[in-house]
Amino acid sequence: MTTHDHDRSGVIAPAYTGRLSTDPIPRLRLPEAEMDPEAAYRFIHDELMLDGNSRLNLATFVTTWMDPEADRLMAEAFDKNMIDKDEYPSTAAIEARTVAMVADLFHAPGLSETDAASATGVSTIGSSEAVMLAGLAMKWRWRQAREASGADATRPNLILGSNVQVVWEKFCRYFDVEPRYLPMEPGRYVVTPDQVVGAVDADTIGVVAILGTTYTGEFEPIGEIAAALDKVASEGGPDVPIHVDGASGGFVAPFLHPDLEWDFRNPRVVSINASGHKYGLTYPGIGYVIWRSAEFLPDDLVFHVNYLGGDMPTFTLNFSRPGNQVVGQYYNFIRLGRAGYTTIMETLRDTAVWIADEVAEIPGMRVISDGSAIPVIAFERNDDDGYTVFDVSHELRATGWQVPAYTMPADAENVAVLRVVVREGFSRTLAAAFVKDLKEVCARLATGADLHAAKQHFAH
């Protein structure tokens, strides 16, 4: 019996019979024999071709293109473990510099121009880890204050909009904090100061305000929320800090909206997280959490280890992690500088606003956010003429574009939108091609012909 007589569901068949390999490879078990490296590469390379084209993925915020020089630098640092600071002192020094640069970008007070250690913060595996660390710091400071005053410290809560990314829900569940979600409503997809004031109490560890929501890219009114909390504190109420979730907007606002005081220029903001692998323009995964000063990072959360050689303070959830993302982030910082980041963000914003203007011309489409805050456009169907945003998303995939359609958060679930994230590498030429395809898809769907044909096909 030959190999071809067997059921092939449990193996991967070769694509180049007679050229590289004719032996099937088990899918779920280690193969018994070795394989030629070129054959192994070809097997995996060809399977990965079935993934979507990352440059046409308008769903993700994550960077999909970097300079070739950055690619080379990051490849040269694949083998460096970020935690081994004694063994890789140059990589460790670069990490410290990037933390200081981000702290300076966010106007952290008291920074030294010569001492990176004057900045209080860490690099992380994206904003997910950064959020966990910031939340833990707020919880610890709240608990210390409650215990010092002899008050109960067993029922911490955190004020969140229902528009937060799911990692905040994870933080609350994993670290036993009550989430107090503030609902949205049709036409309003950010929290309001009145909502915040009505939710805080003595057990509140902090308020999360978002600089660029995942749903629409909008900025929450951080200054107004801070002013409302200032008033609560001045009238004898709880003195509640703000954490800014800048995962999406932390590397956009300093360049597009330099006069907006969302960061440490506002005294009530005690910590900020940002994703270097989003508009920091670096491949995943790299993020940062920065504190206003060491006062806001409790010493109890910092560990000291010496078994890698030398005393190393560490405050991370991960231990071993690659150093190449930090190297890539540093490359961007020194390669682009403030001028380069500003030029890129202005270009992306202009492209996003142009797309929003074109979308507004499509019958039945209403733009919710036009890309002027961060380069993200969200739009909905406001006509009931036989097709939905989910139909649009489905049809666009046939042309190669990946555009997510989803419903809005709590109390606005009846609103469904499409979202387009404009990233570096998404040129005006690609934008024009996307708009052309979008308009053609909507025109076809408006006739009902394609939907009718699809329904007839699946019915049979």
Side-chain angles (χ1 to χ4, degrees), residues 81-282:
N81 189 349
M82 193 68 255
I83 198 64
D84 291 346
K85 301 183 189 301
D86 201 56
E87 287 80 357
Y88 306 120
S90 294
T91 304
I94 285 173
E95 179 194 26
R97 287 178 219 157
T98 64
V99 169
M101 289 175 174
V102 177
D104 177 67
L105 193 65
F106 297 165
H107 295 94
L111 297 180
S112 166
E113 293 187 4
T114 58
D115 182 10
S118 64
T120 303
V122 293
S123 70
T124 59
I125 301 289
S127 275
S128 294
E129 182 185 11
V131 159
M132 299 286 182
L133 300 177
L136 283 170
M138 286 191 293
K139 181 180 178 180
W140 249 246
R141 291 192 74 243
W142 168 84
R143 187 171 62 188
Q144 289 172 347
R146 295 286 285 175
E147 290 175 345
S149 66
D152 177 66
T154 62
R155 297 190 304 274
N157 69 67
L158 181 65
I159 309 303
L160 310 155
S162 62
N163 56 348
V164 293
Q165 214 269 353
V166 69
V167 67
W168 284 105
E169 182 179 353
K170 290 183 178 181
F171 164 75
C172 291
R173 187 176 303 177
Y174 294 168
F175 295 106
D176 198 23
V177 174
E178 175 199 349
R180 292 189 176 175
Y181 293 113
L182 307 178
M184 304 293 108
E185 62 185 34
R188 177 184 59 78
Y189 308 112
V190 295
V191 302
T192 69
D194 287 343
Q195 283 182 301
V196 171
V197 169
V200 297
D201 60 26
D203 289 323
T204 300
I205 67 172
V207 172
V208 175
I210 310 174
L211 191 76
T213 72
T214 299
Y215 287 89
T216 63
E218 295 173 277
F219 293 166
E220 297 199 306
I222 296 168
E224 295 174 27
I225 292 170
L229 291 173
D230 287 344
K231 187 172 185 295
V232 170
S234 68
E235 294 174 350
D239 190 6
V240 180
I242 292 176
H243 171 84
V244 175
D245 185 342
S248 300
F251 285 113
V252 178
F255 308 110
L256 288 187
H257 314 282
D259 296 328
L260 181 65
E261 296 188 357
W262 61 274
D263 53 15
F264 293 122
R265 285 171 291 183
N266 191 310
R268 195 156 290 278
V269 175
V270 300
S271 52
I272 301 169
N273 69 277
S275 292
H277 61 219
K278 293 184 179 177
Y279 287 109
L281 308 180
T282 303

Side-chain angles (χ1 to χ4, degrees), residues 431-446:
F434 165 71
V435 167
K436 177 177 177 292
D437 288 342
L438 174 64
K439 289 183 175 181
E440 289 178 353
V441 161
C442 290
R444 289 200 311 269
L445 289 171

Side-chain angles (χ1 to χ4, degrees), residues 280-362:
L281 308 180
T282 303
Y283 292 135
I286 177 74
Y288 291 89
V289 57
I290 308 295
W291 285 272
R292 169 176 290 277
S293 65
E295 171 191 352
F296 297 95
L297 175 56
D299 290 337
D300 289 349
L301 292 174
V302 180
F303 289 81
H304 293 264
V305 297
N306 63 10
Y307 44 78
L308 294 173
D311 178 68
M312 283 168 289
T314 174
F315 178 40
T316 57
L317 298 180
N318 295 289
F319 195 69
S320 293
R321 65 184 180 93
N324 62 326
Q325 285 94 349
V326 167
V327 171
Q329 187 67 75
Y330 185 59
Y331 170 86
N332 275 340
F333 284 168
I334 66 170
R335 154 83 172 84
L336 296 172
R338 287 180 178 266
Y341 268 97
T342 299
T343 298
I344 289 171
M345 296 308 159
E346 288 176 344
T347 301
L348 297 181
R349 177 201 54 201
D350 292 347
T351 299
V353 169
W354 178 80
I355 293 172
D357 290 342
E358 294 293 313
V359 169
E361 295 180 358
I362 300 174

